């Protein structure tokens, strides 16, 4: 069973990954400049954030194809950047994580990020897409 500290560390790692990947998607700064802002974080937090960032980047095409297949009537390019990044992190954790994160957990974490960082409808949108990606069996 996950400890409270472990859950908080993972949540903080996801926040960092979101912020770094969002900055990179916007073309604002380089990878090193962006990640260097988080050197004060605990090593475990940094390590998982880095795993998420590198994993999303390594599997970006497949992840975006998966997300795009579940965004009814929306092309992936029409999805808000912050929502697209949140979905990418969750799909990476569900499909490529070692070990994979269960859909319900990944979706819950993604919805929380969407509520905090996204628009008014982001939480519902992210939840719906991830339900499609994860299928009904998880």
């Amino acid at each position: 069973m996950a400890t409270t500290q472990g859950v908080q560390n993972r949540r903080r790692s996801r926040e960092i990954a979101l912020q770094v990947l969002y900055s990179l998607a916007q073309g604002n700064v380089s990878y090193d400049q962006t990640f260097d802002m988080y050197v004060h974080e605990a090593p475990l937090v940094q390590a998982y954030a880095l795993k998420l960032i590198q994993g999303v980047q390594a599997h970006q095409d497949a992840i975006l194809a998966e997300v795009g297949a579940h965004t009814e009537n929306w092309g992936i390019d029409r999805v808000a950047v912050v929502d697209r990044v949140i979905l990418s992190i969750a799909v990476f954790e569900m499909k490529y994580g070692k070990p994979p994160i269960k859909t319900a957990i990944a979706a819950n974490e993604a919805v929380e990020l969407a509520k905090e960082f996204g628009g008014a409808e982001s939480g519902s949108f992210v939840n719906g897409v991830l339900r499609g990606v994860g299928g009904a069996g998880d």
Side-chain angles (χ1 to χ4, degrees), residues 7 9 17 38 40 46 48-49 72 77 81 85 92 95 97-99 104 112 117 120 123 125 129 132 137:
V7 169
N9 285 345
Y38 301 101
H40 63 280
Q46 287 184 35
Y48 194 66
E72 293 183 24
D77 57 323
V81 174
V85 172
F92 169 76
K95 301 284 184 176
K98 303 276 189 251
E112 292 302 316
F117 294 98
F125 176 74
V129 171

Side-chain angles (χ1 to χ4, degrees), residues 57-115:
Q57 289 178 320
H59 300 284
Q60 186 171 7
D61 292 341
I63 289 170
L64 291 179
E66 184 81 32
V67 169
H70 298 283
T71 54
E72 293 183 24
N73 303 319
W74 285 84
I76 193 69
D77 57 323
R78 290 188 64 202
V79 175
V81 174
V82 69
D83 293 346
R84 191 168 53 232
V85 172
I86 291 167
L87 287 164
S88 294
I89 292 167
V91 172
F92 169 76
E93 287 187 298
M94 291 163 42
K95 301 284 184 176
Y96 302 100
K98 303 276 189 251
I101 304 293
K102 291 185 181 231
T103 299
I105 294 169
N108 182 58
E109 291 295 322
V111 167
E112 292 302 316
L113 284 174
K115 287 178 181 176

Side-chain angles (χ1 to χ4, degrees), residues 19-37:
Q19 292 166 338
V20 170
L21 290 165
Y22 179 85
S23 290
L24 293 172
Q26 296 295 88
N28 295 337
V29 291
S30 74
Y31 173 85
D32 289 336
Q33 289 172 316
T34 306
F35 197 74
D36 284 349
M37 293 189 294

